[in-house]
Amino acid sequence: MTLLLPALQSPTGPAASREAVRFGALSLTYGELAAASTALAARIADAGRVAVWATPTAETVIAVVAALRAGVPAVPLNPRTGEAELAHILADSEPTAVLAGPDDAPPPALEKLRRVTVDARATSSEAPEGYGPGEAADEAPALIVYTSGTTGPPKGAVLPRRAIAASLDALEDAWGWTGDDVLVHALPLFHVHGLILGVLGPLRRGGSLRHLGKFSTEGVARELGSGGTMLFGVPTMYHRLAEVLDASAGGAERGELAGALAGARLLVSGSAALPVHDHERIAAATGRRVIERYGMTETLMSTGIRADGVPRPGTVGPPLAGVELRLVEEDGTVLEGPEAIGEIQVRGPNLFTGYLNRPDATAAAHTADGWFRTGDVGTVDGDGYVTIVGRKATDLIKSGGYKIGAGEIENVLLGHPGVREAAVTGEADPDLGERVVAWVVAADPDSPPRAEELADHVAGQLAPHKRPRTVHFLDALPRNDLGKIMKRSLHAR
Ligand code: MCA
Ligand code: AMP
């Protein structure tokens, strides 16, 4: 059995006084985090499964660490999740309790659950003496992370400890990630990127995390300029940094930011493709190359540029240690050679165990011999560097690094009384990568709903990041002879 967080087992001496996490003014040492999470672990030890109200705060870190130490699977919830999505996740994952900070006010849907308030200053003296939760077996579920598909509501990806440990250790190998690293980021704590890489990553290494609470270019400059060694972000964040660094922007902020980025040990982008233009702008202003890694909720990290490797803009690097990767044709033929373009399939200790309550979807996502079908289409060059060239499903949208299914938004739009027909597409966006665009036939063409009303409706039912940023009203949706909406011709308009 592998300990996921050895540095928190029983820190003593100098190890106990090292900073583990900092969120604004609130900082916790390893000793304090061990104490608070041990105390909380004792309170939830008998919970079958817990939900975590995953605000970007130290309380979320304590809650997740406590669940891991108690061996209780945790379901991180986006605190902005709308009614319909929250109801689905709660019905599907059946948590018995919700862990939240003292100032949080989770919505009525969570009132049925036992509320466990996270106390950042709790000490382990409240817990049974010597309570050193041994964690659980390697295959035991550690986290259940919800992720969108092309149709239907999000699915809960069950992530065992084995996958988390394997993926973080492969990144340690690729990046020379140590306990001396101070990671800076502003990622949400309810997805793999921010929570597993961004929180459990530093904690597994015995290093520290400084979370900005909310992304800002000033915050990045401040934290990297005062001891941060690594930055994790989605391409939208690097785009916003590149905008400030652009020569035409000028000003003191530009100089400070360029200096801070130049001084970092590692700048890492992931969750979506980093445009080469942004990559080049950052390199020109700082002399530093952003490196990319490629992963997925279900696979955790599959490939990555090594810290000591050659950063090639536009590629996501070779497979990480322990990960097998292959390209496969539509008919299942395995492809070889630098000319080959096919679906990326991966296999290894980094894989999830399956989708909660969805054996059908789990089976459909795997081949008979255990390869996971990513749905991403790529190439592999002679040196093993992978390039993502597209995606099999046109109904998946990546906006700001969030994966969004067109189908879930269409269903919610159709539930609005002012909407008769709806189609959702992703359109290129310089800031978000893609933006959600809705094509709507109004129930009453003479008084269509306002675009903001529809955006609010989606934000309220699903989540703000899923709201359409543009709404087009049409007299009819283009359909083929079988009645299927022809989404490609929508874009042509
Ligand atoms: C706006 N807001 C609304 C509405 N409109 N709220 C309710 N109803 C509305 N109609 C609010 C928002 O809640 C937010 O509030 C503010 O207005 C701006 O929202 P938004 O426009 O969505 O923010 P943004 O500027 O577009 O955000 C960009 C971002 C964000 C910061 C880059 O997209 C982000 O954090 N992305 C990270 C995604 C991520 O971590 N993905 C990892 C999954 P307020 O201003 O108060 O905030 S992928 C993964 O994990 C795999 C494994 C991988 O490979 O990494
Ligand atoms: P999610 O399902 O939200 O975890 O998102 C995973 C998806 O994000 C992958 O299947 C890819 O399509 C995309 N992705 C993650 N990292 C990268 C990257 N570095 N370059 C391009 N796409 C990426």
Side-chain angles (χ1 to χ4, degrees), residues 82 409 412-413 453-464 466-468:
I409 305 176
V412 165
L413 286 172
E453 193 181 323
L454 296 180
D456 291 346
H457 176 67
V458 173
Q461 291 296 312
L462 300 177
K466 297 183 177 177
R467 72 190 188 276

Side-chain angles (χ1 to χ4, degrees), residues 49-54 63 73-77 90 93 95-100 110 113:
R49 210 177 265 157
V50 295
V52 174
W53 195 244
V75 186
L77 299 175
L90 294 178
S93 62
T96 62
V98 56
L99 314 189
L110 286 156
L113 303 183

Side-chain angles (χ1 to χ4, degrees), residues 242-399:
E243 290 283 287
V244 174
L245 292 172
D246 223 325
S248 56
E253 198 201 340
R254 175 174 186 263
E256 191 196 340
L257 181 60
L261 291 170
R265 191 176 80 73
L266 219 53
L267 307 173
V268 186
S269 173
S271 302
L274 179 66
V276 173
H277 175 60
D278 288 332
H279 192 105
E280 297 299 352
R281 289 198 290 171
I282 293 170
T286 66
R288 296 298 311 276
R289 294 267 171 202
V290 178
I291 62 171
E292 284 193 77
R293 93 293 178 288
Y294 157 66
M296 209 171 161
T297 304
E298 294 89 332
T299 65
L300 305 189
M301 293 305 111
S302 293
T303 77
I305 307 265
R306 297 182 62 86
D308 57 4
V310 187
R312 280 184 219 154
T315 83
V316 295
L320 294 167
V323 179
E324 293 177 87
L325 183 146
R326 67 181 191 182
L327 300 179
V328 180
E329 189 112 60
E330 204 66 53
D331 64 3
T333 311
V334 177
L335 304 166
E336 305 272 356
E339 305 300 317
I341 300 183
E343 181 186 23
I344 298 172
Q345 297 191 348
V346 295
R347 194 164 69 171
N350 51 313
L351 259 53
F352 73 143
T353 39
Y355 298 110
L356 188 68
N357 305 324
R358 292 294 306 275
D360 56 327
T362 305
H366 293 85
T367 66
D369 47 352
W371 292 84
F372 178 76
R373 308 175 203 268
T374 65
D376 292 310
V377 176
T379 62
V380 182
D381 75 10
D383 298 331
Y385 274 54
V386 175
T387 301
I388 316 265
V389 299
R391 194 164 47 218
K392 283 178 78 179
T394 48
D395 275 350
L396 280 181
I397 301 164
K398 262 274 163 162
S399 187

Side-chain angles (χ1 to χ4, degrees), residues 80 145 186-194 197 214-215 234-237 240 270-272 293-301 398-403 431-432 452 455-457 459-460 463-467 469:
R80 289 212 159 102
V145 178
L187 294 157
L189 302 188
F190 46 84
H191 275 309
V192 164
H193 195 171
L197 274 60
K214 187 175 166 57
F215 177 81
V234 295
T236 300
M237 295 172 181
R240 293 178 186 179
S271 302
R293 93 293 178 288
Y294 157 66
M296 209 171 161
T297 304
E298 294 89 332
T299 65
L300 305 189
M301 293 305 111
K398 262 274 163 162
S399 187
Y402 287 110
K403 182 188 271 187
D431 181 47
L432 295 170
E452 303 84 72
D456 291 346
H457 176 67
H465 65 263
K466 297 183 177 177
R467 72 190 188 276
R469 310 272 174 151

Side-chain angles (χ1 to χ4, degrees), residues 13 29 35 37 62 94 150 153 163 184 187 191-192 196 199 223 239 315 332 335 359-361 407 429 448 489:
T29 63
S37 59
I62 296 167
E94 300 183 291
T150 47
V184 173
L187 294 157
H191 275 309
V192 164
I196 297 188
V199 172
E223 296 303 335
H239 174 77
T315 83
L335 304 166
D360 56 327
D429 184 280
S489 69

Side-chain angles (χ1 to χ4, degrees), residues 417-420 440-449 473-476:
V419 174
R420 191 169 76 214
V440 167
V441 178
D444 176 1
D446 294 330
S447 75
F473 290 96
L474 304 176
D475 294 334

